[in-house]
Amino acid sequence: MSSFVPRIFSGIQPSGDLHLGNYLGAIRRFVPLQQSHDCIYCVVDMHAITVWQDPADLHRSTLELTAAYLAAGLDPKRSIIFNQSQVIEHAELAWIFNCVARMGWLNRMTQWKDKAGKNSEVQSVGLFSYPSLMAADILLYKATGVPVGEDQKQHLELTRDIAAKFNNDFGPRLKELGLDADYFPMTEPLISGPATRIMSLRDGTKKMSKSDPSDMSRIALTDDAETITRKIKKAKTDAEPLPSEVAGLKGRPEAENLVDIYAALADMSKDQVLREFGGVGFGTFKPALADLAVAQLAPIADDMRRYLADKGEIERVLRDGAGRARIIAAETMREVRKIVGFVGA
Ligand code: AQP
């Protein structure tokens, strides 16, 4: 029986325009968890600066992402909502985890390989050690579950490796201090349901991403109805009509992605979507998808604009959340400093 409070932590980087993948793969799934768990939702601004961010853009994106959290239904009274840099313990624990994690572990991360490509020599040290900071975000609050998209699964596995090595390396010390041998939990990734991996509208083999240079590759949460419709109309597809069964989507990544998006937005299974649209061409399916996307996203964009009209209120939400997060984080760090053996702890 675990002694940990069931607690959710998740975060998104304020590193550009939020897109449909962030919404369906993460934000929308955060909302119902508020009913059953202690939830902490973070705007991970320290992660964002692992690649260059213009300071004014970072500031704007932080407020916009917070507005998106609120517009999507996160309740700052029920959940802790804050930006990472206001709770400095994240950086402190990340440093300790940098000393626990091994170079080989970080070198194997596919996100590092994808982002650094052949130019790893010129990337920031922060980009390389990104997963240590992510482990610190999660374990500072001893979170037991992290709702994320499929792309983050490997980072969650690394978080468990760091937790296990810390618990093991400091096992005798934990005993000496009368602390649990499982000091950090083995956090579970919560990856389920449709749309855990939304793909680019221009290339069905690449994930939809904020950093894709093509604006046409993603639907931004703030896109207006006309832009959403245009992007879906221009989305890459093949010439075949939709199949009647999921098996028929094999080898058709762009078609599968659009069906996946429809299913997620309509709360249907892919089978149900294909029962309705099997045999239909994209000339009919795309307008239906565009109508659905506009109907679902327009109220969120409207609410985001409403929240952004009062930036002082957004800053107040983040300050209040940071104050509540700091109480939990400070308690963990008081123990961790003692466990490590720092004088003065
Ligand atoms: N395409 C996607 N499909 C489903 N889920 C996705 N997520 C991101 N892209 C997709 C989920 O969104 C959450 C926050 O991601 P992030 O902003 O912290 O980092 P990311 O995964 O690197 O997102 P981007 O958009 O691809 O940003 P850039 O281009 O800056 O790297 C995570 O839960 C992620 O799984």
Side-chain angles (χ1 to χ4, degrees):
M1 186 60 192
S2 160
S3 58
F4 297 102
V5 183
R7 182 176 282 151
I8 297 295
F9 178 96
S10 201
I12 298 185
Q13 303 180 74
S15 52
D17 290 336
L18 281 173
H19 54 75
L20 191 62
N22 298 135
Y23 176 64
L24 294 174
I27 303 176
R28 192 176 75 157
R29 297 167 55 223
F30 296 172
V31 180
L33 289 165
Q34 296 180 114
Q35 306 297 334
S36 49
H37 290 76
D38 246 9
C39 294
I40 304 177
Y41 294 122
C42 192
V43 177
V44 288
D45 48 7
M46 284 159 57
H47 278 284
I49 62 163
T50 54
V51 295
W52 168 251
Q53 301 295 330
D54 174 83
D57 288 343
L58 179 68
H59 194 272
R60 179 185 51 80
S61 296
T62 301
L63 298 181
E64 272 180 18
L65 175 50
T66 313
Y69 278 175
L70 300 173
L74 298 189
D75 176 355
K77 290 199 188 74
R78 197 187 270 266
S79 301
I80 295 181
I81 299 174
F82 74 108
N83 59 313
Q84 187 184 25
S85 59
Q86 289 205 62
V87 180
I88 202 57
E89 285 83 353
H90 287 253
E92 189 182 355
L93 188 57
W95 178 256
I96 292 171
F97 285 170
N98 272 337
C99 303
V100 172
R102 305 289 96 180
M103 291 286 286
W105 299 1
L106 296 175
N107 246 328
R108 278 195 288 278
M109 294 296 107
T110 51
Q111 184 167 301
W112 159 250
K113 288 190 215 161
D114 289 349
K115 290 202 170 180
K118 292 196 177 71
N119 300 319
S120 61
E121 291 292 309
V122 297
Q123 303 301 330
S124 73
V125 177
L127 187 66
F128 182 71
S129 64
Y130 182 113
S132 295
L133 179 57
M134 181 163 160
D137 298 340
I138 296 164
L139 296 174
L140 198 47
Y141 304 98
K142 300 186 180 155
T144 50
V146 178
V148 278
E150 189 67 42
D151 58 319
Q152 292 297 327
K153 195 167 167 222
Q154 196 187 29
H155 285 166
L156 252 298
E157 280 158 12
L158 190 97
T159 299
R160 292 159 68 100
D161 289 343
I162 290 177
K165 188 167 187 318
F166 183 97
N167 291 348
N168 187 55
D169 288 354
F170 293 102
R173 181 72 173 157
L174 291 167
K175 201 165 174 199
E176 194 182 311
L177 293 170
L179 293 164
D180 242 344
D182 295 328
Y183 181 73
F184 284 122
M186 292 296 117
T187 311
E188 293 290 336
L190 308 176
I191 306 171
S192 61
T196 51
R197 192 167 169 81
I198 297 292
M199 309 311 278
S200 156
L201 298 181
R202 306 303 302 162
D203 177 352
T205 63
K206 266 171 55 188
K207 81 162 186 152
M208 186 178 284
S209 155
K210 297 187 209 93
S211 53
D212 192 313
S214 167
D215 190 45
M216 294 299 284
S217 69
R218 61 185 159 260
I219 294 173
L221 284 192
T222 47
D223 279 345
D224 59 22
E226 196 226 320
T227 311
I228 294 175
T229 307
R230 184 164 41 86
K231 286 181 178 175
I232 291 177
K233 200 168 150 208
K234 296 240 159 151
K236 185 177 165 200
T237 41
D238 50 45
E240 301 294 311
L242 283 173
S244 312
E245 287 172 7
V246 173
L249 290 169
K250 201 160 183 279
R252 299 177 64 188
E254 284 83 14
E256 179 158 21
N257 188 37
L258 295 187
V259 171
D260 211 15
I261 294 174
Y262 192 103
L265 288 171
D267 249 330
M268 290 163 80
S269 67
K270 283 198 268 196
D271 278 312
Q272 285 170 316
V273 176
L274 293 178
R275 267 202 292 278
E276 198 174 323
F277 289 99
V280 158
F282 286 103
T284 306
F285 183 64
K286 280 180 170 179
L289 175 59
D291 287 348
L292 178 63
V294 168
Q296 295 262 325
L297 299 182
I300 298 174
D302 286 347
D303 267 359
M304 275 178 73
R305 271 188 287 278
R306 200 167 50 73
Y307 283 113
L308 284 166
D310 187 354
K311 300 208 167 54
E313 175 58 16
I314 297 183
E315 284 169 14
R316 198 195 56 71
V317 165
L318 292 174
R319 224 177 8 257
D320 175 70
R324 288 155 61 205
R326 213 175 285 126
I327 294 170
I328 309 171
E331 175 61 28
T332 304
M333 283 317 300
R334 256 195 300 279
E335 288 176 348
V336 168
R337 288 183 209 114
K338 273 206 189 84
I339 295 166
V340 173
F342 289 152
V343 170

